[in-house]
């Protein structure tokens, strides 16, 4: 597939979903389809992935598992928030792992990163089991996670500028991973912040949030796909 | 919808738009900054490459000077001694043997002449002193004597004025072209043309050999890479044209003002 067509994949997917939602078409198949593609592609190419991409693939696999788990919980208990609590914990660990590979910090900063991760996990666990219930949506945990991931993503952008490589930006898996993360988590941060102050959010906001989640998936797919491709340096 | 709900929605839309606007600005700014740092990296790499190349050329030149000195001082001296001895021996022998010794003396003279010319062509200082035209004339004469290929050399009457280092490197590039033709091209004729304008020195080199695929040859890391790198080092422009069984045409254009 020519590269220039695949660059448009995340935007086209998100646009397609928003289009379907606008015309009230069923879009339930989109997320499972993307996850299925990513899982299939990742499983066959897992050995060829770099360590970071292996972690990203594990993240995708957990997303898929959570989707199934949430679906099952919804069917049986009519409440699937347990899945969100579980996935929030997993996300915290995986993002710390991924960014500790990407940022390659000095030892003391690496310890600091994992210390913050441990702190965040403790807060999330306390929030889930002590201050709130696992049957309620973990908005505070997700807001904290968004803040954490956004900071790491911005640090990664800084690191990319400080230590550039000769490969074109659009061909770099790390760019797509970081780009998707920045878009989805900044919107998530903003959305949940608003949700806590007002209950009168327009329905479109939910659609956009969902769209950014799909955009995130598509960007991660790009990241996995490009990791497997030969490099093309500038000039 | 109540006025409070209305305000909420407007605030959400405005803030959301602002957020996406900010994100877009951030991404565009990031891309611009990244391109800038990539360009910086590219120039830094190029600079290092040039430095490395320069060091490599200097080392090669020094080696050639050493080889040239060795040929001139040791081999040349030994050959001269052999010639003197043969001269001495030739006086006290029969007429039949004398003829053979005289043939050997002639061969020794030729050998000494060739060694001197080879020694001169290897030594950068000689190239600087004599100029590129005189040196190339010697080389052309030597190649023509071999009889495998006929070299036609066109050059301006006046001495070509170039920076000393450019001169040596250009001369080495032309030597490399000769070597490549003799080794691989199976050519019958070579045409070398040297031209000089106020600002440029142009070299056109043509042979009627079997030709080659330029990109393939460059990837193989042959002498072509050497020529290409050296041309870059002295700020020249190099163009190759080659077709199978038609031959090769090489054009080198060099700005005079450039110096190493």
């Amino acid at each position: 597939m020519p590269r220039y067509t695949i660059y448009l994949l995340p935007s086209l997917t998100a646009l397609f979903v928003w289009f379907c939602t606008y015309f009230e078409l069923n879009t339930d198949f989109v997320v499972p389809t993307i996850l299925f593609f990513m899982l299939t592609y990742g499983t066959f190419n897992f050995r060829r992935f770099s360590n970071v991409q292996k972690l990203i693939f594990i993240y995708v696999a957990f997303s898929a598992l959570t989707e199934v788990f949430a679906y099952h919980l919804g069917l049986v208990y009519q409440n699937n928030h347990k899945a969100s609590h579980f996935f929030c914990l997993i996300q915290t660990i995986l993002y710390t792992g991924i960014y500790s590979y990407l940022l390659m910090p000095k030892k003391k900063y690496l310890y600091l990163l994992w210390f913050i991760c441990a702190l965040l996990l403790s807060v999330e666990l306390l929030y889930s089991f002590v201050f709130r219930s696992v049957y309620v949506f973990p908005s505070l945990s997700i807001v904290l996670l968004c803040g954490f991931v956004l900071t790491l993503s911005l640090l990664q952008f800084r690191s990319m500028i400080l230590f550039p490589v000769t490969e074109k930006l659009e061909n770099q898996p790390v760019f797509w991973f970081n780009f998707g993360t920045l878009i989805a988590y900044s919107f998530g941060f903003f959305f949940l912040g608003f949700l806590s102050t007002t209950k009168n959010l327009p329905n479109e906001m939910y659609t956009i949030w969902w769209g950014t989640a799909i955009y995130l998936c598509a960007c991660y797919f790009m990241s996995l796909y490009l990791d497997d491709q030969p490099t093309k340096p500038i000039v | 919808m109540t006025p409070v709900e209305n305000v909420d929605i407007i605030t959400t839309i405005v803030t959301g738009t602002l957020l996406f606007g900010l994100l877009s600005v951030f991404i565009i700014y990031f891309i611009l900054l990244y391109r800038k740092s990539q360009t910086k990296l590219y120039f830094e790499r190029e600079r290092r490459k040039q430095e490395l190349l320069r060091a490599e050329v200097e080392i090669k030149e020094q080696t050639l000077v050493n080889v040239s000195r060795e040929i001139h001082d040791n081999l040349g001296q030994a050959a001269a001694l052999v010639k003197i001895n043969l001269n001495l021996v030739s006086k006290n022998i029969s007429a039949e043997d004398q003829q053979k010794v005289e043939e050997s003396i002639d061969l020794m003279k030729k050998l000494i002449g060739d060694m001197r010319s080879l020694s001169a062509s290897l030594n950068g200082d000689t190239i600087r002193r004599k100029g590129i035209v005189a040196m190339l004339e010697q080389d052309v004469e030597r190649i023509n004597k071999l009889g495998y290929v006929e070299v036609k050399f066109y050059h301006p009457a006046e001495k070509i004025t170039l920076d000393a280092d450019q001169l040596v490197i250009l001369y080495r590039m032309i030597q490399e072209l000769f070597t490549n033709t003799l080794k691989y091209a199976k050519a019958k004729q070579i045409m070398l043309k040297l031209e000089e304008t106020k600002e440029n020195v142009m070299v056109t080199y043509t042979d009627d050999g079997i030709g080659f695929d330029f990109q393939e040859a460059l990837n193989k890391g042959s002498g072509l890479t050497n020529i290409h790198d050296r041309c870059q080092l002295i700020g020249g422009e190099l163009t190759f044209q080659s077709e199978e069984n038609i031959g090769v045409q090489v054009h080198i254009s060099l700005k005079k003002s450039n110096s190493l």
Side-chain angles (χ1 to χ4, degrees):
Chain A
M1 194 190 304
R3 285 193 177 192
Y4 55 86
T5 50
I6 202 157
Y7 297 144
L8 297 173
L9 187 71
S11 306
L12 289 177
T13 316
L15 276 176
F16 173 70
V17 170
W18 284 323
F19 173 82
C20 289
T21 316
Y22 186 78
F23 289 103
E24 293 175 353
L25 299 168
N26 187 6
T27 51
D28 290 347
F29 64 95
V30 178
V31 171
T33 311
I34 294 178
L35 287 175
F36 174 76
F37 266 117
M38 286 168 88
L39 280 176
T40 316
Y41 184 80
T43 311
F44 283 112
N45 295 288
F46 190 74
R47 280 189 178 184
R48 282 189 280 175
F49 287 155
S50 59
N51 286 339
V52 180
Q53 300 302 324
K54 278 179 183 163
L55 276 177
I56 295 175
F57 176 72
I58 291 169
Y59 176 94
V60 172
F62 267 109
S63 307
L65 258 177
T66 312
E67 282 293 323
V68 176
F69 184 42
Y71 183 73
H72 169 76
L73 287 176
L75 277 183
V76 179
Y77 304 104
Q78 281 77 48
N79 181 319
N80 58 11
H81 292 317
K82 265 185 191 175
S84 305
H85 284 268
F86 163 75
F87 192 48
C88 197
L89 295 171
I90 294 292
Q91 273 178 304
T92 311
I93 297 167
L94 282 174
Y95 275 116
T96 312
I98 291 169
Y99 279 106
S100 64
Y101 263 114
L102 285 178
L103 290 167
M104 289 188 288
K106 288 176 187 167
K107 247 185 184 173
K108 61 175 178 180
Y109 292 117
L110 187 71
Y111 291 145
L112 181 70
L113 188 63
W114 282 103
F115 173 73
I116 295 170
C117 169
L119 209 69
L120 208 61
L121 283 175
S122 321
V123 173
E124 283 166 6
L125 282 170
L126 280 173
Y127 183 74
S128 301
F129 293 106
V130 181
F131 300 119
R132 225 141 180 215
S133 158
V134 284
Y135 297 103
V136 181
F137 185 70
S139 51
L140 181 75
S141 298
I142 295 177
V143 167
L144 286 175
L145 175 75
C146 285
F148 178 59
V149 174
L150 270 179
T151 313
L152 292 175
S153 153
L154 289 173
L155 281 174
Q156 179 57 31
F157 275 124
R158 178 181 170 270
S159 153
M160 282 174 79
I161 289 171
L162 289 179
F163 310 104
V165 290
T166 48
E167 199 176 353
K168 281 181 178 175
L169 191 62
E170 60 269 30
N171 290 343
Q172 292 180 37
V174 63
F175 169 71
W176 285 102
F177 171 76
N178 228 25
F179 183 52
T181 307
L182 182 80
I183 298 284
Y185 282 87
S186 50
F187 189 79
F189 193 74
F190 159 80
F191 177 77
L192 289 171
F194 257 97
L195 203 62
S196 64
T197 55
T198 175
K199 298 287 171 202
N200 302 318
L201 283 176
N203 278 336
E204 284 77 12
M205 289 290 281
Y206 292 90
T207 315
I208 293 173
W209 191 28
W210 195 55
T212 53
I214 286 166
Y215 193 80
L216 178 85
C217 285
C219 281
Y220 284 9
F221 178 70
M222 287 281 294
S223 174
L224 291 177
Y225 171 76
L226 289 172
D227 189 56
D228 199 23
Q229 303 302 307
T231 55
K232 281 189 178 177
I234 50 161
V235 190
Chain B
M1 203 177 281
T2 64
V4 176
E5 281 175 341
N6 237 342
V7 169
D8 277 349
I9 289 168
I10 289 167
T11 318
T12 316
I13 289 168
V14 169
T15 326
T17 314
L18 265 176
L19 173 84
F20 275 105
L22 265 174
L23 277 176
S24 313
V25 170
F26 173 80
I27 292 296
I28 292 166
Y29 185 61
F30 170 77
I31 291 170
L32 291 176
L33 263 183
Y34 192 78
R35 291 229 166 119
K36 204 175 153 189
S37 51
Q38 260 186 336
T39 316
K40 208 173 142 190
L41 173 80
Y42 174 75
F43 283 118
E44 182 62 24
R45 281 196 178 179
E46 279 300 302
R47 193 182 61 78
R48 278 190 203 157
K49 202 174 143 191
Q50 292 272 319
E51 269 175 20
L52 210 70
L53 210 64
R54 201 172 302 166
E56 199 184 320
V57 167
E58 272 170 23
I59 291 167
K60 273 185 188 167
E61 270 309 308
Q62 193 50 50
T63 314
L64 287 177
V65 167
N66 291 342
V67 172
S68 148
R69 209 166 283 159
E70 198 65 24
I71 291 173
H72 186 266
D73 296 350
N74 288 343
L75 301 181
Q77 290 301 320
L81 269 175
V82 172
K83 199 185 93 184
I84 292 166
N85 283 344
L86 283 173
N87 272 326
L88 288 173
V89 168
S90 67
K91 287 168 189 166
N92 310 315
I93 51 171
S94 64
E96 198 185 321
D97 289 339
Q98 205 168 13
Q99 198 192 339
K100 281 179 188 169
V101 171
E102 265 166 21
E103 272 173 22
S104 303
I105 291 169
D106 287 342
L107 275 174
M108 282 315 289
K109 272 184 194 166
K110 194 177 166 290
L111 178 68
I112 291 167
D114 283 352
M115 276 201 296
R116 274 190 191 148
S117 124
L118 182 67
S119 163
S121 78
L122 291 178
N123 195 332
D125 290 336
T126 321
I127 303 161
R128 286 182 197 104
R129 206 175 51 247
K130 284 191 173 177
I132 194 167
V133 174
M135 294 303 293
L136 283 172
E137 271 177 339
Q138 271 186 21
D139 285 352
V140 167
E141 198 187 319
R142 204 171 49 235
I143 295 167
N144 279 336
K145 265 188 201 171
L146 292 173
Y148 299 122
V149 62
E150 186 198 352
V151 187
K152 285 180 181 166
F153 181 32
Y154 305 98
H155 56 82
E158 290 164 20
K159 199 173 175 181
I160 283 179
T161 46
L162 261 180
D163 175 89
D165 292 318
Q166 279 184 312
L167 198 75
V168 176
I169 292 174
L170 182 66
Y171 176 64
R172 295 279 178 245
M173 284 162 68
I174 297 170
Q175 275 188 320
E176 190 82 50
L177 288 171
F178 278 137
T179 313
N180 280 352
T181 303
L182 290 173
K183 263 183 166 175
Y184 312 109
K186 296 176 187 164
K188 284 183 181 146
Q189 217 170 42
I190 298 173
M191 198 275 288
L192 174 67
K193 196 173 170 188
L194 221 62
E195 288 166 293
E196 186 181 23
T197 63
K198 255 187 179 177
E199 291 174 344
N200 295 304
V201 170
M202 276 97 66
V203 179
T204 312
Y205 179 95
T206 321
D207 76 32
D208 60 351
I210 54 170
F212 61 90
D213 181 43
F214 179 64
Q215 206 51 47
E216 199 181 305
L218 206 63
N219 290 339
K220 275 183 184 171
S222 63
L224 274 187
T225 325
N226 261 334
I227 298 171
H228 185 260
D229 290 348
R230 283 175 184 215
C231 194
Q232 262 195 331
L233 184 65
I234 52 176
E237 272 177 42
L238 176 78
T239 45
F240 267 92
Q241 272 184 318
S242 180
E243 269 179 60
E244 241 175 84
N245 298 321
I246 290 182
V248 178
Q249 189 176 45
V250 185
H251 188 78
I252 301 166
S253 174
L254 203 60
K255 266 195 179 168
K256 279 182 177 179
S257 50
N258 281 329
S259 63
L260 286 176

